[in-house]
Amino acid sequence: MNRRLIITASAMLIIGISAGYWLANFHSETHDVKHTVSKIKAQEPLFYRNPMNPQITSPVPAKDSMGMDYIPVYAEDDRADETAGTVTIDPVTVQNMGVRTVQVKRDVLSHVVRTVGRVGYDEEKIVRLHPKVEGWIETMRVDKTGEKVFEDEDLLSIYSPQLVVSQQEYILALNNLKALEQSPIEDIRRGADELVSSSLERLRLLDVPEHQIHDLTRDHNIHKNLHIHSPASGVVVNIGAREGQFVTPTTELYMIADLSRVWVYADIYENELPWVRKGDLVRMQLIGIPGRDFIGHLAFIYPYAEAKTRTIKVRLDFNNEELLLKPEMYADVTIYASQQASALVIPAEAVIRSGTRDKVLVARASGKFEPRSITTGLSADGRVIVLDGLEEGEQVVTSSQFLIDSESRLREATAKMMHPGTREEEEPGPLQLEQLPHEHN
């Protein structure tokens, strides 16, 4: 009895062990089959793309007009945490495409503005000479434009009846003072003295030169002609009257310009305006004076733009003691902008401009390229300042980025179709009515 029980227990033990082993293998094989099936499903193409035109796709395998097979596009399992439009490219393809990247770094950006200038007169050193009385020009001692004159130099003589009458009044006042200077009445003496002073002041207001007043006071002889002297040194630019001509206070007798300093007018474009400011160093070269550099500075930036050229005029100051710079000459001007900006800088070719926004492709690990919108600032010498969107040390694509961007846009569109909740970075849209500022009465 005991022997039969032992045999039965041993048989049941062997059967249990065999059944457990078989069930374990069965579950393992089932798991492997399920994993294999899910892997095959994950490798099923999402769609097929035309090899010559990536924007042409097909949900089923197809051939193009040249008989080339459409390229399958697969889903990736590790893209859940990636930005929509991120592209993954194997290293061999990256090398074949000639993709180059540059590190985002902080640098100081400066700019040099090159333009064309026109030499002009210093408006603060131009004198326009008009007579204070009506009369006729008797003698012109300076009668040619371009002549150099000095301050207080005698330019011409003019006959004026008004001037003759004023001289007579002054002589009568002198004679009256001489006759009444011994008067015992103080008011009479004071009145005679005031009459002389007022007559003398009238002559000076009419620009009668001091040497003629001195002669008139000394010999009491009335002078027919009034001498007109130059109020400043310079070059005669224009002569407005000739001998024998009747002139009035509205007649411009001479235009005299001091050319010891000149102004140079130059035009700069709007994108260069943020760089320049007053006091910037300027170097100028002229074809008429080869081998000579003139150094000046930027003196003024005009507060308006030219309607036809869409440029902003600036005024430059130059010393011209040698009188080499002549008005209306043209010159090559270089403005060394002192304005500098320290910020994150990338090459200008890395920026993809789409009209409504600027973006770059950021190179990440494992051959991934992420599209990212950025805010750009000043640009100079092929480099652009990035105000927002990038961090120092990141790598941005500088070549073949348009090919990658095309693929990125297709991936973005695919992500939207596969996952309707996926959204790309919003672009500025039209203002809503409630966003507009309200006026308060």
Side-chain angles (χ1 to χ4, degrees):
M1 183 67 181
N2 293 336
R3 184 178 180 183
R4 184 180 300 176
L5 181 61
I6 293 173
I7 294 173
T8 302
S10 300
M12 292 298 293
L13 180 61
I14 294 173
I15 292 172
I17 293 174
S18 299
Y21 178 77
W22 179 82
L23 288 174
N25 288 339
F26 176 77
H27 284 295
S28 176
E29 290 176 0
T30 302
H31 180 269
D32 291 341
V33 169
K34 289 182 178 180
H35 178 72
T36 303
V37 170
S38 63
K39 187 174 181 181
I40 292 174
K41 287 183 178 180
Q43 292 179 350
E44 290 181 358
L46 297 176
F47 57 88
Y48 297 84
R49 181 183 302 141
N50 190 311
M52 303 303 294
N53 188 351
Q55 296 186 358
I56 300 176
T57 61
S58 171
V60 297
K63 294 181 180 292
D64 63 4
S65 59
M66 300 177 62
M68 300 176 63
D69 292 331
Y70 275 35
I71 300 173
V73 178
Y74 297 93
E76 296 179 11
D77 296 333
D78 56 348
R79 296 175 57 86
D81 58 342
E82 293 180 358
T83 304
T86 300
V87 179
T88 302
I89 306 176
D90 63 272
V92 176
T93 305
V94 170
Q95 184 175 4
N96 292 337
M97 291 173 62
V99 177
R100 296 194 303 271
T101 61
V102 171
Q103 185 178 12
V104 180
K105 60 181 179 180
R106 188 170 297 275
D107 199 358
V108 176
L109 204 61
S110 60
H111 190 50
V112 175
V113 179
R114 292 180 174 86
T115 182
V116 177
R118 177 182 60 85
V119 181
Y121 298 102
D122 184 342
E123 295 177 0
E124 297 177 350
K125 295 182 177 296
I126 293 179
V127 175
R128 299 180 184 272
L129 183 60
H130 291 251
K132 298 291 182 63
V133 295
E134 296 181 352
W136 289 262
I137 297 178
E138 294 284 337
T139 305
M140 294 194 69
R141 297 173 180 81
V142 176
D143 58 356
K144 301 179 183 64
T145 58
E147 288 191 44
K148 188 172 183 179
V149 296
F150 298 94
E151 185 176 2
D152 204 33
E153 181 178 344
D154 192 359
L155 300 178
L156 56 82
S157 298
I158 183 173
Y159 164 68
S160 172
Q162 180 183 356
L163 178 61
V164 173
V165 173
S166 298
Q167 291 182 86
Q168 290 174 344
E169 292 177 352
Y170 179 61
I171 292 174
L172 289 175
L174 289 175
N175 293 334
N176 184 56
L177 176 63
K178 186 176 181 181
L180 298 176
E181 62 182 356
Q182 301 298 330
S183 174
I185 303 175
E186 182 180 355
D187 291 342
I188 294 177
R189 295 197 307 270
R190 186 171 59 252
D193 187 65
E194 290 176 354
L195 183 60
V196 171
S197 299
S198 62
S199 301
L200 178 62
E201 184 65 21
R202 185 180 300 110
L203 291 175
R204 287 173 174 165
L205 292 176
L206 293 176
D207 285 347
V208 177
E210 287 296 330
H211 71 87
Q212 286 189 297
I213 294 177
H214 180 269
D215 294 341
L216 183 63
T217 304
R218 183 187 59 190
D219 53 28
H220 290 200
N221 291 328
I222 296 176
H223 298 83
K224 176 185 177 182
N225 298 327
L226 166 68
H227 294 173
I228 295 182
H229 295 245
S230 174
S233 300
V235 175
V236 177
V237 178
N238 181 55
I239 298 177
R242 292 295 173 179
E243 289 187 1
Q245 182 175 338
F246 178 76
V247 295
T248 67
T250 62
T251 305
E252 182 182 289
L253 301 178
Y254 293 96
M255 176 180 172
I256 301 173
D258 184 1
L259 299 180
S260 61
R261 293 195 67 83
V262 294
W263 289 355
V264 177
Y265 301 96
D267 295 325
I268 62 174
Y269 292 102
E270 295 180 29
N271 64 320
E272 297 171 326
L273 184 61
W275 289 103
V276 298
R277 61 184 179 183
K278 291 182 181 180
D280 286 349
L281 182 68
V282 181
R283 181 171 59 88
M284 182 175 66
Q285 296 176 326
L286 296 90
I287 298 178
I289 312 174
R292 179 74 178 269
D293 288 346
F294 295 88
I295 305 300
H297 68 278
L298 193 153
F300 187 72
I301 302 173
Y302 285 82
Y304 54 83
E306 299 292 336
K308 294 182 178 179
T309 61
R310 308 309 307 163
T311 56
I312 293 87
K313 183 180 293 184
V314 296
R315 190 182 75 222
L316 318 172
D317 273 7
F318 285 89
N319 187 14
N320 190 35
E321 294 291 343
E322 301 178 46
L323 302 182
L324 296 177
L325 301 176
K326 298 172 174 50
E328 304 305 327
M329 294 180 72
Y330 283 94
D332 295 324
V333 173
T334 303
I335 303 174
Y336 296 93
S338 58
Q339 179 74 16
Q340 295 182 341
S342 177
L344 295 180
V345 176
I346 62 173
E349 61 266 22
V351 182
I352 302 174
R353 305 186 186 275
S354 61
T356 56
R357 60 174 180 170
D358 297 334
K359 65 179 181 179
V360 294
L361 291 172
V362 180
R364 298 170 57 187
S366 304
K368 295 181 180 180
F369 299 91
E370 173 194 340
R372 191 180 301 174
S373 295
I374 61 172
T375 303
T376 57
L378 296 174
S379 62
D381 300 328
R383 297 186 297 168
V384 178
I385 290 178
V386 179
L387 302 177
D388 185 36
L390 289 175
E391 298 292 338
E392 186 175 1
E394 290 185 308
Q395 297 284 335
V396 294
V397 179
T398 59
S399 65
S400 302
Q401 66 266 43
F402 291 100
L403 295 175
I404 304 175
D405 182 55
S406 177
E407 176 70 18
S408 172
R409 288 176 180 271
L410 290 172
R411 293 292 180 92
E412 212 167 49
T414 302
K416 288 182 180 180
M417 291 187 295
M418 298 290 296
H419 307 284
T422 303
R423 299 178 60 188
E424 63 176 336
E425 297 182 30
E426 295 184 357
E427 298 183 3
L431 288 175
Q432 301 298 325
L433 183 61
E434 59 270 14
Q435 293 178 295
L436 296 176
H438 298 282
E439 294 184 0
H440 299 280
N441 294 329

